[in-house]
Structures are given as C-alpha cells and as structure tokens.
Amino acid sequence: MGESVQAEVMMSFLVSEELSFRIPVELRYETCDPYAVRLTFHLPGDAPVTWAFGRELLIDGVGRPCGDGDVRIAPAEADTLGEVLIRLQVGTDQALFRSSAAPLIAFLDRTDKLVPLGQEGVLADFDAHLDEALDRILAEEQSAG
C-alpha cells in the first residue's frame, strides 16, 4: 500500500445564487494512483460522494480556468488566488462548490512533496513492477508449499 496525503476543507455548496451552505470536503492523494486526487463531499442527508480527477487539473485550476468535461475548475475572480470554483457535472445535473484557494494550495504542496509533479510515471512504473514481483513470489511460494 502506498503513502497518502489527506486534508479536510470547508467548501460552500452553491445551490443557487441565493442559497449556499458549507460542507466538509475530504481531499486525498495516494501514491498508488499518483496522477489523481479524490474529493469526497459530505452533503447533508446523503451518503458521501467521491470524485477523482487529475491532480494537474486541480493545480492548473487554482490559477486559471481548466477542464473540458465533467470537472471544471477556475479561480472565482480573474487574476486573484482568493477563491476557487469547482464545477462537477453528470449529464445535465451539476454541482458548484467554492473553496478558499489557500487550503487547496497547501494540500497540493503536500502532494508535491510526496510525489513531485512530473514524477508520477516513475512511481507508477515502480508500483507495477513491485506488484509483478510480489505476484511472482506468492505464486512460487504456493507452488512450493
């Protein structure tokens, strides 16, 4: 099992222009999946919902609008690092969240200390080779025993 980085951030769930409420969101990064971050949203009255998407998308989205598909991330205001908007979409349903940029940047900094940006492939290859070696060792032990 790999190492991980976790953080809990309070975000505003923007239901409409008039209605929003704050919810806890767990951010998680694991070395066993070095390209992705996971956000688990704890919405009142519902089971937690987890979204996984590219760590690089979150990094880029803190500073400029990013994303083409189901996940779009952008600064709330151009040219400032104050707040970030995260839009998640499934079909025609979408959810919009607003977060302070500071805890996202702190989380991303911790992920970079664990796996520097651009080094994910080295780690992914290492994990694949380790899994292959462990499978081979287990198979040899089972056939010998």
Side-chain angles (χ1 to χ4, degrees):
M1 178 157 191
E3 296 179 70
S4 66
V5 171
Q6 295 179 159
E8 186 171 293
V9 175
M10 292 301 291
M11 293 188 185
S12 294
F13 176 37
L14 306 173
V15 179
S16 68
E17 287 186 26
E18 301 83 26
L19 178 62
S20 68
F21 52 92
R22 297 186 52 76
I23 62 167
V25 178
E26 178 188 328
L27 286 73
R28 186 170 183 85
Y29 176 79
E30 299 174 332
T31 57
C32 61
D33 189 3
Y35 292 100
V37 293
R38 287 173 172 68
L39 276 63
T40 300
F41 298 91
H42 299 274
L43 299 169
D46 285 335
V49 175
T50 300
W51 279 73
F53 51 87
R55 173 173 67 155
E56 197 165 345
L57 175 63
L58 185 56
I59 290 169
D60 292 345
V62 168
R64 64 178 174 82
C66 291
D68 298 344
D70 297 342
V71 180
R72 296 176 188 213
I73 303 173
E77 295 180 26
D79 302 325
T80 67
L81 289 177
E83 293 186 313
V84 176
L85 296 173
I86 300 172
R87 182 180 312 274
L88 307 173
Q89 186 164 346
V90 176
T92 59
D93 294 332
Q94 66 178 354
L96 183 61
F97 299 88
R98 181 187 299 257
S99 173
S100 173
L104 298 178
I105 293 169
F107 169 75
L108 289 167
D109 184 55
R110 290 175 52 215
T111 72
D112 192 61
K113 287 183 173 120
L114 189 59
V115 179
L117 189 63
Q119 297 298 309
E120 299 91 347
V122 173
L123 186 63
D125 291 343
F126 173 77
D127 282 349
H129 293 300
L130 179 61
D131 287 345
E132 289 172 13
L134 290 173
D135 288 344
R136 195 170 45 251
I137 291 168
L138 288 173
E140 290 172 3
E141 286 182 357
Q142 289 175 351
S143 64

